Amino acid sequence: MRRILISIGFILLVGAGAWYFTKPKPLPVTLFVVQPGLVESSVSNTRAGSVEACLRTRLSPIIGGRIAYLGVKKGDHVKKGQVLIQLWNEDQQAQSALALKQVDSARKRVGEVCILADNAEREAARSTQLRQRGFISESAEEKSRSEARSRRAACLSIKTEIAQAQARLKLAQVEQNRTVLAAPFDGVVADIVGELGEYTTPSPPGVATPPAIDLIDSSCLYVQVPMDEVDAPKIKLGQPARIVLDALPGKTLLGHVKRVAPYVVAVEKQARTIDVDVALDNAADIKQLLVGYSADVEVVLDHRDQVLRVPTSALLEGGRVLLYQDKTRKLEARAVKTGIANWQYTEILGGLNKGDRIVTSVDREGVQAGALVSVELSEE
């Protein structure tokens, strides 16, 4: 009997040890306590956007020529109308000077010729009076009148010559202005292509010729980002937006949609996007930005406050979550009805109650419905 009891005890001990070492171990999970809060519906850009200037122009001379004057360098602040580049134009300056002298000469001649015309007309009037009194012949009167008409015609002709000379002067000045490149607005010189004495050529659209001057108005900046074409109908003017830049880590700038492009850009056949422009709400933020900074934008389409919410990452395929059961310490798959959502939170319209705890660490191996778990961390 003693041996039998010892054997039974040994068997029970071995069984208890086997059960202990083979029993399922609880999986550590992170839980989220379902509570009311703010939920937003938003869309984000598909590729990185960039900071752009409201005014930016790439300038080139209208004609080609050798650079005779280069009045700026990269980074200079310039005023509207300031001369940036001037090409060699001594021949055109000579033409302008000649045309100006022709105008002056014609003006001096018009005084002389028109005075003679006035005198001739007065003499013709006196001849008429003398003819009426019988002091001169009819032929003498007619000669005086002809002389007056001739002098008046000469006066009108010389005035026409003045107009022609002024037109030639204006043409010469226009030709001369074609060699001058001036700033169309106040701005900063971002780039210069060409040096003093080098030859520069025009840069028409469609021709791969770099512009001579890249001018930027840094006082007005905005962010342009590409959005997926499927989101285009949802984005409206004036919607609030949040801007994040790599150059300003940890900082979010506020803005609003100021333009939605009326066309789709097909960068690739599988990547069709629309350009969305976002203006900054705080003018002081512009001082922190540089044209060309990369930027990401989140446009807020809708928002609801004090509604039940769960982390979007906790949702499983089919609109389910893993609910933690306090009594059994096991997980239960629970179907939920969802409302608006973004990358952070999703609104819960049904299936969960305030205070329920759901699993957020759903990507861990073995975390599934029916699994025995232990709470590693509980978040609200």
Side-chain angles (χ1 to χ4, degrees):
M1 180 61 68
R2 182 179 179 183
R3 290 180 179 179
I4 292 174
L5 292 175
I6 292 175
S7 298
I8 293 172
F10 179 74
I11 292 171
L12 292 175
L13 182 62
V14 171
W19 174 83
Y20 178 80
F21 287 106
T22 58
K23 71 176 182 179
K25 295 182 179 180
L27 298 172
V29 294
T30 301
L31 302 181
F32 176 84
V33 181
V34 179
Q35 295 287 346
L38 175 65
V39 180
E40 295 177 335
S41 173
S42 62
V43 293
S44 300
N45 49 293
T46 57
R47 301 187 311 277
S50 63
V51 176
E52 303 288 347
C54 299
L55 282 176
R56 181 174 188 173
T57 182
R58 294 167 175 84
L59 303 168
S60 291
I62 299 176
I63 61 175
R66 180 171 59 84
I67 299 176
Y69 171 78
L70 183 59
V72 292
K73 59 183 182 295
K74 293 181 182 180
D76 281 357
H77 291 261
V78 299
K79 295 293 184 180
K80 180 179 180 179
Q82 180 177 337
V83 176
L84 308 177
I85 289 178
Q86 183 172 316
L87 306 182
W88 182 86
N89 61 357
E90 292 182 7
D91 55 341
Q92 295 171 355
Q93 290 181 32
Q95 292 177 358
S96 296
L98 175 61
L100 183 59
K101 289 185 178 296
Q102 289 174 341
V103 172
D104 290 339
S105 176
R107 284 175 176 168
K108 291 177 181 178
R109 287 177 59 200
V110 76
E112 176 185 355
V113 173
C114 290
I115 288 174
L116 292 176
D118 293 340
N119 290 336
E121 287 175 346
R122 286 193 292 271
E123 286 294 329
R126 284 195 293 270
S127 297
T128 300
Q129 293 175 356
L130 293 174
R131 173 70 183 85
Q132 291 174 352
R133 296 177 183 178
F135 292 121
I136 63 174
S137 64
E138 183 178 352
S139 61
E141 179 190 6
E142 183 61 30
K143 183 179 179 181
S144 179
R145 289 179 179 179
S146 297
E147 179 70 16
R149 287 194 295 268
S150 176
R151 294 289 185 181
R152 180 55 60 190
C155 176
L156 295 176
S157 176
I158 197 64
K159 287 182 177 180
T160 303
E161 288 183 13
I162 292 179
Q164 292 175 345
Q166 290 174 333
R168 286 193 294 270
L169 175 61
K170 184 176 182 180
L171 177 61
Q173 291 172 341
V174 168
E175 290 293 328
Q176 186 176 343
N177 289 337
R178 295 175 67 183
T179 66
V180 177
L181 191 61
F185 52 82
D186 296 353
V188 179
V189 177
D191 194 16
I192 301 174
V193 177
E195 296 293 340
L196 191 65
E198 291 184 348
Y199 193 90
T200 184
T201 58
S203 178
V207 179
T209 303
I213 298 287
D214 186 3
L215 187 63
I216 295 173
D217 179 8
S218 59
S219 65
C220 176
L221 303 178
Y222 68 96
V223 177
Q224 184 176 87
V225 291
M227 294 286 188
D228 196 289
E229 62 175 340
V230 300
D231 296 325
K234 309 173 189 175
I235 302 175
K236 307 296 180 184
L237 298 181
Q239 288 177 331
R242 289 187 285 265
I243 305 165
V244 178
L245 301 100
D246 292 338
L248 302 174
K251 188 167 186 177
T252 300
L253 308 183
L254 301 181
H256 62 275
V257 176
K258 75 167 188 176
R259 174 183 173 269
V260 180
Y263 56 87
V264 174
V265 178
V267 178
E268 298 176 0
K269 291 184 178 180
Q270 294 80 15
R272 297 179 180 270
T273 59
I274 59 167
D275 288 334
V276 174
D277 297 347
V278 176
L280 285 87
D281 292 341
N282 187 359
D285 292 337
I286 296 178
K287 298 179 181 179
Q288 308 178 60
L289 306 182
L290 294 177
V291 173
Y293 271 168
S294 62
D296 292 314
V297 169
E298 182 185 12
V299 177
V300 180
L301 306 177
D302 192 8
H303 72 280
R304 295 175 188 171
D305 201 4
Q306 294 304 310
V307 295
L308 290 182
R309 64 181 187 177
V310 298
T312 301
S313 59
L315 289 173
L316 302 176
E317 187 177 356
R320 298 174 298 115
V321 296
L322 293 177
L323 181 64
Y324 176 73
Q325 299 290 350
D326 291 320
K327 293 182 179 180
T328 60
R329 295 193 302 162
K330 291 185 177 182
L331 302 180
E332 173 191 342
R334 177 72 61 87
V336 294
K337 183 179 180 181
T338 60
I340 65 172
N342 65 359
W343 61 271
Q344 189 175 15
Y345 289 109
T346 297
E347 179 188 12
I348 299 299
L349 300 177
L352 292 176
N353 297 313
K354 179 181 177 181
D356 286 345
R357 294 194 288 176
I358 64 169
V359 176
T360 56
S361 54
V362 293
D363 55 340
R364 293 183 181 177
E365 185 178 357
V367 176
Q368 58 186 358
L372 182 66
V373 298
S374 62
V375 178
E376 182 181 59
L377 180 64
S378 185
E379 302 174 337
E380 291 188 6

